[in-house]
Amino acid sequence: MIIGTRGSRLALVQTRKVAALLKEKGIETDEQIIKTDGDRFTDRPLYQVSTGVGAFVRELDDAMIADGIEIAVHSMKDLPTVRPDELVTAAVLPRDSPYDVLLTKAGLTIDELPKNAIIGTSSMRRRAQLLRYRPDLTIEELRGNIDTRLRKLEEGQYDGIILAEAGLERMGWNDMVRTRLDIDMFTPSPNQGTVAVVALAGTPAVDAVALLNDEKSQIETTIERLVVKDLEGGCTTPIGAYAKFESNGKRIRVRAEVLSCDGTKSIKVDEKISADNWAEEAEKLGKDLANSGGKMLAEEAICYIQELKDQKEKK
């Protein structure tokens, strides 16, 4: 089978992991690198990339549908909530760390950062959560692959940067000094830390890839998508969601929130739902989040982001 992938080091590590797992099942694969808008335009914030939703995904989707690429490997948090009918998320791999981490040259915690410290991130969610916790921080745009971001930190362009811990782990950088951010205050993006494998619907690839699926991670990530679905936000909207089975396997704790872009307003839910009726209860929780002001806050954030984009285009 042909595997479509982005060309970054992290994307290739993820893709080759999937290829190795498939090989264990007796399935041979070939790699095909496809460049996305999110990869091309690293000189601007994601909200300025013309594709908007799915900036790291759309070209891979198009290649699968038009050119017959059987499967593609994605960081699941990049996948838009609404997907083409021709494609199926055939497998969700066991989840890695869902946490955001702070990296500084001195190994500081977020509370130890000096006043007005410059923090780099490309995420509007992380920006909003950082400003909610430390309004004095100066948040500046940070684009580029994981190597580029670490180089910019080392050069002193930032006092600290925020990354997903899962990316560091997959690169094998487990000894890198970092501080985990509290998951209640810094609820991650839906599906953060998870790799998904997408297949062409109606092809043998669906059943082949399904052999890799981790049911627990699939349920948790599906819940996260259901809870934020009614907010109708894109990948640049400040939205977080995290679902995790309790140790007894009978309940699932679900945390989700939407924030204003400056972090001064937020609406959140934090509830436990039944593992036997998770889909229905997650949908209800999502409607509660949207109807309690979350949808309005998401719409305000989308309007604000569009205004920023319009201002940049005028310049």
Side-chain angles (χ1 to χ4, degrees), residues 67-85:
D67 302 331
I69 293 175
E70 288 109 322
I71 62 176
V73 178
H74 297 278
S75 291
M76 195 172 184
K77 66 183 177 65
D78 294 334
L79 291 177
T81 304
V82 179
R83 304 290 292 130
D85 293 336

Side-chain angles (χ1 to χ4, degrees), residues 123-257:
S123 163
M124 293 298 285
R125 171 191 61 82
R126 290 171 179 154
R127 173 189 294 268
Q129 290 171 339
L130 285 165
L131 290 173
R132 173 176 62 187
Y133 190 78
R134 286 278 307 266
D136 63 291
L137 295 176
T138 301
I139 314 299
E140 294 193 355
E141 191 66 28
L142 174 65
R143 291 295 315 281
N145 59 40
I146 194 168
D147 304 270
T148 301
R149 297 181 189 202
L150 291 169
R151 175 179 54 78
K152 290 179 178 179
L153 173 64
E154 190 62 30
E155 290 173 351
Q157 296 185 37
Y158 304 90
D159 296 308
I161 62 174
I162 307 295
L163 297 175
E165 187 172 42
L168 301 178
E169 292 178 342
R170 290 173 193 151
M171 295 296 288
W173 299 336
N174 295 312
D175 58 346
M176 187 172 290
V177 178
R178 63 213 187 237
T179 303
R180 279 185 174 180
L181 300 182
D182 179 76
I183 211 158
D184 288 316
M185 184 59 65
F186 296 90
T187 305
S189 294
N191 304 170
Q192 183 163 303
T194 314
V195 171
V197 189
V198 173
L200 272 174
T203 69
V206 176
D207 289 336
V209 169
L211 297 172
L212 308 183
N213 189 57
D214 181 77
E215 185 179 12
K216 180 180 173 184
S217 295
Q218 182 186 42
I219 290 172
E220 290 172 343
T221 52
T222 302
I223 287 171
E224 291 163 11
R225 287 176 171 260
L226 289 172
V227 169
V228 303
K229 180 182 67 174
D230 288 332
L231 298 176
E232 298 181 1
C235 59
T236 58
T237 314
I239 293 172
Y242 179 54
K244 183 174 177 58
F245 273 91
E246 293 190 326
S247 57
N248 61 16
K250 296 180 180 179
R251 307 284 290 174
I252 304 165
R253 184 178 176 186
V254 184
R255 286 164 275 200
E257 69 173 346

Side-chain angles (χ1 to χ4, degrees), residues 258-295:
V258 56
L259 302 93
S260 61
C261 291
D262 63 1
T264 58
K265 294 184 286 185
S266 65
I267 305 288
K268 67 165 36 179
V269 293
D270 184 348
E271 306 236 352
K272 294 179 181 179
I273 63 175
S274 167
D276 294 328
N277 195 33
W278 59 265
E280 183 178 331
E281 292 187 29
E283 285 198 3
K284 181 182 182 302
L285 197 57
K287 292 186 185 304
D288 291 344
L289 177 62
N291 295 334
S292 62
K295 178 73 177 292

Side-chain angles (χ1 to χ4, degrees), residues 54-70:
F56 293 109
V57 174
R58 195 176 71 171
E59 284 84 354
L60 276 164
D61 285 350
D62 291 345
M64 292 184 72
I65 294 167
D67 302 331
I69 293 175
E70 288 109 322

